[in-house]
Amino acid sequence: MDSPLLMRSILFPLFLLFSVVQSRSYTSSQKIQLPGDSLALSVTDFGATGDGIHYDTSAIQSAINACNHHYTSSSSICRVTFPPGTYLTAKLHLRSGVLLDVTENAVLLGGPRIEDYPADTSSGWYVVVANNTRDVGITGGGAIDGQGSKFVVRFDERKNVMVSWNQTGACLGDECRPRLVGVVDSTNFHIWNITLREPAYWCLHIVRCENTSVHDVSILGDFNTPNNDGIDIEDSNNTLITRCHIDTGDDAICPKTYVAPLYNLTVTDCWIRTKSSAIKLGSASWFEFKGLVFDNITIFESHRGLGMQIRDGGNVNGITFSNMNISTRYYDPSWWGRAEPIYITTCPRSSSSGEGSISNLLFVNITIVSENGVFLSGSPNGLLTDIKFKNINITLRRWSNYTSGLVDYRPGCQGLVNHSATAGIIMEHVNGFSVENVDLKWSGDNLNDWNVPLEFRPSTVNNVSFVGFSSGLLHEIV
C-alpha cells in the first residue's frame, strides 16, 4: 500500500496537469513543496564542491544514503539538494524515499570515462539510476547533463559517428554508451520540473516499473546523434507523461516489451521533434501493449510521426491517438523511415520470430503536413484489425529532393521497397479499416509524385469503409 505521505507528495505534480490548455513546452515557476518532507540535506555539507572539475560522486552518494536511512527509520521523504554549481559525477544510485532536488542553476554532470560506470554489462551504465526502489523523485528546475558531445567520434550533420565501449566485452556494436537516467524495478517514481540534456545514449529509461509520472520535463538531445532516445518505457504499467518538451535525434517516446506486457500508458500535452519516430511502439515487442492513450501532442518536422514496429510476436490492442498536429519530413537515408506521419507495421523480425497482431486503433482529430503518406502494413498471420481514422486532414508537400515512392519496412521484413509513386494511404494485410471525415490534399509543386491517393490489394485488405473521404489538389491562397 502507498504511504499517505507519498500519496500527498504525488498530488502536487498531478494537480498541475489539469491546468494545461495547449501542447507546448512549459517551465514551472513555482517552488515545489512536498507535504511530508521532514529533512533536507545539501550535498555541499557532505563535501561536494560543485566546480565541474573534481568528482563529487562520493559526497553525493553519501547524502543519498543518509536520506535513505532517514526514510527507512521515519517513513518520511528526504530531500537531497544541489545548490547552484556544476557537480561532476560517476554513476549514482538513488535509494528509496529520496527526492533529488537539482535546483535552478545547478547541473549534475555525468562523467565521460568508462570507469565512471562500473557494471557487469552495459545495461547497468547510467549517470543516475533508481534500482528496486519506491517513493523516489527528481525535480528542482536544474539539469542533468550526460556530456553526449564527448562521445562523438566525428560530427556529421547527416548522422554523428559515436564512440563505442564494446572493447570491454560488455556489449556489442556502436550502442555501447551510458544512458542518462534509469528507473528499474521500482514503484512510485516521479520526475518533474527538470531538464535532461545531452545523453550519450538513451535519456530516460523506465524498466519494469509501476506508477511512474514524468511531468514538465525538457529532454534536449543532439539532433544528429543515433540512439539518442527521449523516453523509453519497457514492461511498465501505469505510466503518465505530461507537458514534456522532447527535442532529440532518435525515437522520442518509445514503449517496448521484452519480458512482460505494457499497460496503461498515457502521454498528453507534449511537443516533440526528432530525426526518427516521435512516438513508436517496438521494435522490441515480445509481449502485449494495451490501453495506451496519446493526446494533445505536437510533432514538429520529425522523420516519422506515429509508429508501430511489431516484430517479435506481441499483440497491440486498444490504442488512441487524438488531437494532434504532425509535420514530418525526410532528413537522410541513414535514418529509418521515409517521413511517414503514421506508420503501423507487423512482420516477423526473422524466420524464428512470431507474428503479432494490431487491433482497435483510433486516430481522431489529427492534422498532418508531410512528405509521405500513411503506411498501414500487416502480415499474413499478423493482421491489422479495426483501424479507425476520424476527422483527419492530410496535406502532402515535398521539402526535400530525395526519391519518392520508397517504402521502408525496416527492421526486418523487406527493407526498402519501391512503390514508384507516393500514395496517400497504403494498406496491406488489413481486416477492418474505417474512414470518417478524412481530407487528403496534394501540393502542386510536383504532381508526378502524387498519383495514388489509395493503394491496396483487395486480396489482402477486407472490410473497408469510407464515409466523408475527399481527395484533391491543394489550393493555396497566395
Side-chain angles (χ1 to χ4, degrees), residues 144-345:
I144 302 176
D145 189 316
Q147 298 200 81
S149 61
K150 292 192 174 182
F151 293 82
V152 179
V153 174
R154 186 179 75 248
F155 289 94
D156 189 328
E157 285 297 315
R158 296 169 65 248
K159 180 185 280 189
N160 290 336
V161 178
M162 306 302 293
V163 72
S164 177
W165 289 346
N166 62 4
Q167 65 271 20
T168 65
C171 55
L172 299 174
D174 65 350
E175 300 180 16
C176 300
R177 309 188 295 277
R179 297 171 176 88
L180 193 61
V181 176
V183 194
V184 183
D185 294 318
S186 295
T187 302
N188 298 341
F189 176 86
H190 307 283
I191 179 169
W192 74 101
N193 188 26
I194 197 80
T195 296
L196 306 179
R197 70 191 188 204
E198 274 215 67
Y201 188 52
W202 294 356
C203 190
L204 177 59
H205 192 201
I206 302 166
V207 186
R208 299 183 300 275
C209 291
E210 294 281 344
N211 302 331
T212 303
S213 69
V214 183
H215 176 76
D216 268 343
V217 174
S218 292
I219 293 176
L220 308 176
D222 188 319
F223 198 58
N224 301 318
T225 292
N227 310 116
N228 209 209
D229 293 15
I231 306 174
D232 290 272
I233 310 104
E234 293 180 14
D235 311 322
S236 296
N237 299 320
N238 304 314
T239 306
L240 177 65
I241 299 171
T242 64
R243 298 201 332 186
C244 290
H245 178 107
I246 304 174
D247 194 341
T248 192
D250 220 303
D251 300 326
I253 297 176
C254 192
K256 305 170 184 285
T257 59
Y258 285 97
V259 299
L262 189 150
Y263 299 143
N264 300 334
L265 166 66
T266 299
V267 181
T268 67
D269 309 294
C270 294
W271 185 96
I272 297 170
R273 184 181 78 128
T274 173
K275 252 186 182 172
S276 198
S277 294
I279 297 168
K280 187 185 82 176
L281 277 63
S283 67
S285 49
W286 277 268
F287 291 83
E288 185 180 38
F289 301 81
K290 188 173 183 179
L292 281 60
V293 175
F294 302 90
D295 180 67
N296 194 31
I297 295 170
T298 294
I299 297 170
F300 178 73
E301 292 194 358
S302 293
H303 203 68
R304 266 184 176 149
L306 312 175
M308 295 186 190
Q309 295 174 345
I310 305 305
R311 300 291 183 267
D312 306 302
N315 298 322
V316 177
N317 183 36
I319 316 297
T320 297
F321 300 94
S322 58
N323 304 311
M324 295 188 178
N325 289 295
I326 299 173
S327 64
T328 52
R329 53 156 299 176
Y330 190 41
Y331 281 97
D332 190 84
S334 60
W335 298 88
W336 284 351
R338 303 289 297 190
E340 306 93 334
I342 299 174
Y343 169 90
I344 308 298
T345 62

Side-chain angles (χ1 to χ4, degrees), residues 338-357:
R338 303 289 297 190
E340 306 93 334
I342 299 174
Y343 169 90
I344 308 298
T345 62
T346 69
C347 66
R349 187 184 300 274
S350 66
S351 59
S352 61
S353 302
E355 290 185 77
S357 64

Side-chain angles (χ1 to χ4, degrees), residues 4-68:
L5 288 172
L6 203 283
M7 291 306 296
R8 289 199 300 270
S9 72
I10 296 170
L11 288 177
F12 180 80
L14 292 185
F15 171 77
L16 290 177
L17 167 64
F18 297 104
S19 66
V20 176
V21 294
Q22 61 180 358
S23 174
R24 65 179 183 88
S25 59
Y26 287 78
T27 300
S28 296
S29 59
Q30 297 174 324
K31 294 292 183 181
I32 305 296
Q33 298 292 333
L34 296 183
D37 284 6
S38 61
L39 185 64
L41 303 177
S42 173
V43 295
T44 57
D45 291 337
F46 288 78
T49 63
D51 62 6
I53 300 172
H54 300 92
Y55 275 81
D56 289 321
T57 313
S58 179
I60 297 169
Q61 192 63 60
S62 294
I64 291 171
N65 294 345
C67 251
N68 170 251

